[in-house]
Amino acid sequence: MFLFAFVVKAHNEFNSTEPVKINGSYPDVLCTQPVIPKNELHRKTDDNFNSAEDRDLIDMLHRSLDIVLGSSSREMFNKIWSQTLTVPFFLIIVLFPLINFKSPTFFTKFNALGTVSVLYILTFILVKGIKWGIHMDTSLKIPEFQKTFPALTGTLALAYFIHNCILSIVRNQRHPENNGRDLSIAYVLVTATYVFVGIFFYICFPLPKNCIEDNLLNNFVNSDIMAFVARIFLFFQMVTVFPLLLFILRIQVLSLFFHSVYPSLKHVLVLNAILIVVCLVFATQLPQIGTIIRFSGALCGLVYVFTLPCVVYLLALRRHSSLTWPIVAIHVVVIVLGLLNFIAQFLILGQT
């Protein structure tokens, strides 16, 4: 998405085809979702632009663009640079060489460069929020419970699953005695980042709250310079994070089957090729980051958070002849909760 938006912006600037902004009060934001009626969670605001007149204006702009450039030129660009059909394949050229390095130090130090991206995103959200001001209607009643809550529990399960990756990251620390301190600082900083971005962006977003996308940068027009730079930074951050995640997965898979984190370059290439194909399938067939996160979180959480710890603990008690039925029942309930969390993700498809 970030690379796609970068090239589209460059193409529009080069050809002078940047779309005209049609949201007068807040020209830097977009709403692609249907507006919730007035008697529901949020009222429709004057800043919304889902009216028939606005859609007619968009169609007129597209027709004008075809006249200026020629429809064939525009269609050719859309075929060559498609967010789901071609861009993922272009990304392989950039990412595949980076995921085959042997040294774990490369992945950890390379990923540290992503801190610059995080600092810019925080600054970007802060500046936009100050510019927009607070947009919260306290008279509206926000429901305390919704049937789509499994979307949150699936995402939270992924947050717990990341604990499984910690050992792979810190196993090569020069001073392992500082792991506790370093991890504590890391968790505090990550929590503060998520809380600030989530809460501040939500209360300041000037359009109806149901317009907020799972990727908040999708709420900004391509012509917004700060959003354009933010997409570049986030693309850079994804380039640094993706190799680290595949490195962690490589350690776990290859250690399990070959008892070595790097048995040979051939093994690493084959594994990485399989993982890249899986990523391509999701990028082209299901380009919805929110859905992917909650499903992967629920599945990985079921295995690593709810099931394996309980099973290992029960086996240890059995080995020491300390296993009792009440203990078994409690841990079975925990496993069932993880299973229900995963099943619930299917029940809310199309509702989030």
Side-chain angles (χ1 to χ4, degrees):
M1 173 60 198
F2 312 121
L3 179 61
F4 171 77
F6 172 78
V7 175
V8 168
K9 168 68 176 176
H11 172 267
N12 290 339
E13 289 289 344
F14 180 77
N15 292 282
S16 300
T17 61
E18 188 65 30
V20 177
K21 303 169 186 177
I22 60 176
N23 183 15
S25 301
Y26 300 99
D28 53 345
V29 289
L30 295 171
C31 181
T32 61
Q33 303 296 326
V35 180
I36 298 178
K38 182 181 295 185
N39 60 345
E40 296 187 18
L41 177 59
H42 296 288
R43 298 187 181 95
K44 180 176 179 179
T45 68
D46 294 333
D47 302 316
N48 203 25
F49 44 86
N50 287 318
S51 64
E53 293 81 3
D54 290 333
R55 289 193 296 269
D56 291 340
L57 177 58
I58 294 176
D59 293 337
M60 181 189 69
L61 292 172
H62 286 169
R63 289 193 297 268
S64 300
L65 178 61
D66 291 338
I67 294 175
V68 174
L69 284 182
S71 59
S72 59
S73 174
R74 185 182 175 195
E75 290 174 359
M76 179 61 67
F77 175 76
N78 291 336
K79 289 180 179 179
I80 296 176
W81 196 251
S82 170
Q83 182 176 346
T84 57
L85 298 180
T86 61
V87 173
F89 295 92
F90 287 120
L91 280 174
I92 297 178
I93 302 174
V94 178
L95 294 174
F96 195 76
L98 297 176
I99 64 178
N100 296 303
F101 282 88
K102 181 178 181 180
S103 172
T105 305
F106 166 79
F107 295 100
T108 54
K109 291 187 176 181
F110 185 55
N111 177 251
L113 297 176
T115 306
V116 179
S117 301
V118 175
L119 292 176
Y120 178 82
I121 296 300
L122 292 175
T123 304
F124 169 67
I125 297 299
L126 179 63
V127 171
K128 288 295 182 181
I130 294 175
K131 176 183 176 181
W132 295 333
I134 303 298
H135 291 271
M136 288 292 292
D137 189 347
T138 56
S139 65
L140 294 177
K141 182 180 179 181
I142 299 177
E144 298 179 358
F145 177 83
Q146 289 181 304
K147 62 181 180 179
T148 56
F149 75 92
L152 176 61
T153 59
T155 304
L156 293 178
L158 180 64
Y160 281 111
F161 167 69
I162 199 64
H163 287 269
N164 175 60
C165 305
I166 296 300
L167 287 178
S168 300
I169 296 176
V170 302
R171 64 187 299 173
N172 296 292
Q173 284 278 72
R174 181 177 300 177
H175 301 287
E177 66 274 9
N178 296 329
N179 284 347
R181 179 203 64 189
D182 296 342
L183 288 176
S184 299
I185 296 174
Y187 277 117
V188 169
L189 293 176
V190 169
T191 301
T193 301
Y194 276 91
V195 169
F196 172 77
V197 172
I199 295 179
F200 194 70
F201 185 81
Y202 183 86
I203 65 176
C204 294
F205 188 68
L207 300 183
K209 305 306 180 184
N210 70 302
C211 292
I212 298 178
E213 302 275 350
D214 51 6
N215 174 9
L216 62 85
L217 287 180
N218 290 343
N219 286 114
F220 293 91
V221 296
N222 288 334
S223 57
D224 186 85
I225 299 300
M226 289 196 69
F228 175 68
V229 176
R231 291 185 177 102
I232 297 177
F233 272 105
L234 271 182
F235 171 68
F236 176 73
Q237 185 181 10
M238 294 300 103
V239 170
T240 63
V241 170
F242 185 74
L244 179 62
L245 294 178
L246 261 63
F247 171 72
I248 294 171
L249 191 57
R250 179 212 302 176
I251 289 178
Q252 296 175 347
V253 173
L254 295 183
S255 297
L256 175 63
F257 291 102
F258 301 101
H259 306 289
S260 172
V261 297
Y262 200 96
S264 70
L265 179 60
K266 176 183 176 181
H267 291 82
V268 173
L269 288 175
V270 171
L271 176 62
N272 287 339
I274 295 174
L275 296 175
I276 286 292
V277 170
V278 172
C279 293
L280 283 175
V281 170
F282 278 93
T284 56
Q285 304 301 320
L286 187 66
Q288 302 173 13
I289 184 63
T291 302
I292 295 174
I293 287 177
R294 65 182 178 86
F295 266 97
S296 58
L299 178 60
C300 296
L302 170 63
V303 176
Y304 285 96
V305 178
F306 293 96
T307 303
L308 287 181
C310 292
V311 171
V312 171
Y313 180 66
L314 293 177
L315 291 176
L317 290 180
R318 181 183 179 184
R319 183 177 301 176
H320 292 86
S321 302
S322 302
L323 189 62
T324 61
W325 282 111
I327 295 178
V328 173
I330 293 174
H331 287 79
V332 168
V333 169
V334 173
I335 296 174
V336 170
L337 288 176
L339 179 61
L340 293 177
N341 183 38
F342 178 64
I343 296 175
Q345 306 307 316
F346 294 93
L347 303 179
I348 61 173
L349 280 175
Q351 301 181 36
T352 57

